[in-house]
Amino acid sequence: MTDLDCKQTEKLIPQFLKDELDNRTEKKFLNHVDGCSSCLEELSIQFLVTTGMQRLENGDTFDLNRELRMRIDTEKRHLYILSSLQHGLYATEAMAILAATMILTMVVL
């Protein structure tokens, strides 16, 4: 899995905000944003512009920094759960192959 650079990450911000990234790209995106204050700042600015303007038009009150942090944390949790489920499926598949191999071995002998 290759890491994203700042330019690639900044291009993905609109897709992240629209929840249009695939899981693998989103994981790379979040890993980069976690370690890059410049990209996190750009994400915050774009989040403020897109979400904040809409909220202002609606007359809603908001704490965008908190909302963005919650959104990032939620996406990380989703990716963690998905990864755990995939590992569980791999383990189940390996057990099924092992069981099938053992049964075939007993039948042949």
Side-chain angles (χ1 to χ4, degrees):
M1 175 163 72
T2 61
D3 293 335
L4 297 174
D5 62 25
C6 291
K7 188 174 182 176
Q8 294 167 321
T9 301
E10 288 178 9
K11 285 183 179 180
L12 293 173
I13 290 174
Q15 290 174 282
F16 174 76
L17 294 175
K18 293 177 187 174
D19 200 22
E20 295 177 346
L21 295 178
D22 63 82
N23 293 329
R24 181 171 286 155
T25 304
E26 184 172 57
K27 185 174 184 176
K28 291 178 188 179
F29 176 86
L30 291 172
N31 284 339
H32 181 86
V33 168
D34 272 346
C36 180
S37 60
S38 175
C39 288
L40 179 58
E41 182 178 346
E42 182 62 29
L43 174 60
S44 298
I45 291 167
Q46 289 192 37
F47 184 74
L48 172 67
V49 170
T50 57
T51 305
M53 294 303 290
Q54 184 178 15
R55 298 277 178 82
L56 284 173
E57 289 173 3
N58 295 340
D60 296 337
T61 59
F62 50 87
D63 179 354
L64 292 177
N65 287 330
R66 188 175 132 281
E67 286 183 38
L68 179 58
R69 177 61 21 214
M70 287 173 48
R71 167 94 184 266
I72 290 171
D73 291 344
T74 299
E75 295 301 327
K76 285 181 183 179
R77 266 193 309 280
H78 289 161
L79 290 170
Y80 176 78
I81 291 168
L82 180 62
S83 177
S84 296
L85 288 173
Q86 286 175 332
H87 287 121
L89 288 173
Y90 295 148
T92 303
E93 196 172 294
M95 296 286 278
I97 292 169
L98 181 60
T101 304
M102 290 175 61
I103 291 170
L104 285 173
T105 302
M106 290 189 317
V107 169
V108 171
L109 294 177

